[in-house]
Amino acid sequence: RAVAEILKAATSVELGPRQGKHIRVKIPYTHYGRYLTTDKRIQVTALCEVMRTNGLKLLVEKTIILEDTNIIIKLPRRVVVNRAVSLEISYANPLPEPVSRCVLLVTLMNQQVKINLARLAPRERSKIYFEFTPRRVGPLQLQVDFSCDKFSHVKGFVTIAVAPA
């Protein structure tokens, strides 16, 4: 895969024998957003030059995996067969810029429902209510897949225990 240089910075740090230090590096989304792939990984590489050692250099590499925004599904305490149930599904935009073309794909009882959503402001969380009627007793899995123009396939799921009437 092609690698893009998204940030180049230099800093000096003095270390004593057997000493280590953490160096914080803030990479704005505007630098890496267009290069981000579906695996949401960023490879960070640092070339360290050891002073007073005739040019000794150390290469340090670290892979950072970005976290997905989370889907939160809230359901009532008791779900009963053949009675309508309303679930709350909340989703978020973790980015520092707005997102549009937002879609929730809800899969339940071997059926999919596509829900087009309004755009989200930076770091905004929103929610919808989803109503359905379970037709059989037992475990039922609800899956939610959230996508928009800047990221895709943020998934959440819950197993619902459907009780007899």
Side-chain angles (χ1 to χ4, degrees):
R1 174 181 349 162
V3 175
E5 185 176 284
I6 57 174
L7 179 69
K8 190 172 189 174
T11 187
S12 293
V13 176
E14 286 197 34
L15 297 175
R18 302 189 189 287
Q19 183 183 7
K21 279 192 181 175
H22 290 273
I23 301 170
R24 293 182 139 267
V25 177
K26 186 173 183 173
I27 306 171
Y29 176 76
T30 53
H31 283 64
Y32 68 84
R34 67 180 174 270
Y35 302 110
L36 200 56
T37 59
T38 55
D39 66 359
K40 298 177 180 70
R41 292 174 187 261
I42 296 177
Q43 178 76 38
V44 178
T45 304
L47 182 60
C48 305
E49 184 175 347
V50 182
M51 304 306 282
R52 297 183 286 280
T53 59
N54 295 326
L56 177 66
K57 294 181 182 179
L58 303 170
L59 183 67
V60 180
E61 292 185 324
K62 172 87 174 163
T63 300
I64 299 169
I65 301 173
L66 302 178
E67 290 184 24
D68 274 334
T69 177
N70 59 338
I71 302 281
I72 299 171
I73 304 168
K74 293 182 183 175
L75 45 129
R77 287 178 40 160
R78 184 162 158 81
V79 176
V80 178
V81 71
N82 295 321
R83 289 195 197 146
V85 178
S86 183
L87 305 175
E88 179 184 290
I89 302 170
S90 69
Y91 50 94
N93 171 13
L95 302 179
E97 60 184 64
V99 295
S100 59
R101 296 193 310 272
C102 300
V103 174
L104 268 182
L105 186 62
V106 180
T107 305
L108 178 69
M109 298 184 291
N110 295 321
Q111 302 216 348
Q112 290 188 328
V113 178
K114 180 180 176 182
I115 304 167
N116 293 313
L117 306 166
R119 62 183 284 150
L120 290 172
R123 300 196 184 357
E124 180 182 8
R125 178 167 281 282
S126 190
K127 62 186 167 187
I128 64 159
Y129 293 92
F130 182 79
E131 190 171 293
F132 73 98
T133 304
R135 298 294 178 201
R136 63 175 176 81
V137 173
L140 187 65
Q141 190 171 69
L142 173 107
Q143 297 176 344
V144 178
D145 186 327
F146 176 55
S147 297
C148 65
D149 64 331
K150 302 275 186 346
F151 54 85
S152 62
H153 304 299
V154 175
K155 297 179 186 296
F157 73 93
V158 67
T159 300
I160 304 166
V162 180

